[in-house]
């Protein structure tokens, strides 16, 4: 089988940030990396689940909602994939920052966190999600399109 693109990224030099993962036709995939790979502690399931609910709710209610394809967690628990279509890198960076600050300051019930709406509605961690989102928002404070390239190991 062909090796998939995400396994071609050198995870030994990857640090928290927002990266351009791939472009498939009209869909662009971004890697929103909260944790340095292979360096615990990883994001806890409840934290990831809450970030997923809040981030997805925010971006799907934003003025750019029609350009949002998907937002979801990485199985390695180091971050998320954010898929968009028809947005500039600058728009994605700004929208990501906005969503993270929304989460960092969020108070109240988690959207979609009921037995009818979610397959694991009891496993949420809002305080942990707020902390992780604030840390990530601060990392992305001065992020720009030039920062979207994956880091490479020094030769």
């Amino acid at each position: 089988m062909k090796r998939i693109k995400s396994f071609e990224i050198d995870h030994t030099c990857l640090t928290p940030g927002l990266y351009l993962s791939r472009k498939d036709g009209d869909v662009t995939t971004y890697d929103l990396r909260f944790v340095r790979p292979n360096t615990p502690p990883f994001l806890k399931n409840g934290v990831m689940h809450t970030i997923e609910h809040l981030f997805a709710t925010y971006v799907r209610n934003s003025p750019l909602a029609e350009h949002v394809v998907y937002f979801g967690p990485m199985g390695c628990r180091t971050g998320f994939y954010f898929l968009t279509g028809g947005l500039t890198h600058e728009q994605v960076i700004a929208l990501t920052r906005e969503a993270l600050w929304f989460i960092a300051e969020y108070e109240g019930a988690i959207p979609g966190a009921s037995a009818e709406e979610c397959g694991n509605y009891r496993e949420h961690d809002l305080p942990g999600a707020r902390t992780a989102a604030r840390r990530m928002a601060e990392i992305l404070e001065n992020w720009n399109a030039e920062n979207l390239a994956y880091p490479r190991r020094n030769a």
Side-chain angles (χ1 to χ4, degrees), residues 4 28 59 66 81 87 92 99 103 106 109 119 125 141 145 147-148 151:
I4 64 172
T28 304
V59 297
E66 69 185 57
Y81 288 114
L87 296 177
V92 171
I103 296 166
Y106 187 81
D125 179 354
E141 184 174 336
N147 300 116
L148 291 173

Side-chain angles (χ1 to χ4, degrees), residues 131-153:
T131 298
R134 179 175 305 281
R135 189 170 38 247
M136 195 69 225
E138 290 170 355
I139 289 169
L140 297 183
E141 184 174 336
N142 296 310
W143 213 260
N144 60 48
E146 292 176 13
N147 300 116
L148 291 173
Y150 280 115
R152 296 180 190 269
R153 193 181 337 216

Side-chain angles (χ1 to χ4, degrees), residues 1 3 36 50 60 91-92 107 111 116 122 139 146:
M1 287 189 267
R3 195 165 171 213
R36 185 181 182 102
T50 302
R60 289 188 175 128
Q91 288 174 304
V92 171
E107 295 180 12
E116 297 81 14
R122 289 186 184 106
I139 289 169
E146 292 176 13

Side-chain angles (χ1 to χ4, degrees), residues 33-72:
R33 195 66 62 148
F34 278 64
V35 176
R36 185 181 182 102
N38 303 304
T39 309
F42 302 106
L43 294 170
K44 293 181 180 176
N45 287 335
V47 169
M48 291 192 81
H49 195 191
T50 302
I51 290 171
E52 176 193 17
H53 277 237
L54 291 172
F55 193 104
T57 297
Y58 182 85
V59 297
R60 289 188 175 128
N61 282 281
S62 76
L64 301 175
E66 69 185 57
H67 301 284
V68 173
V69 177
Y70 173 77
F71 180 80

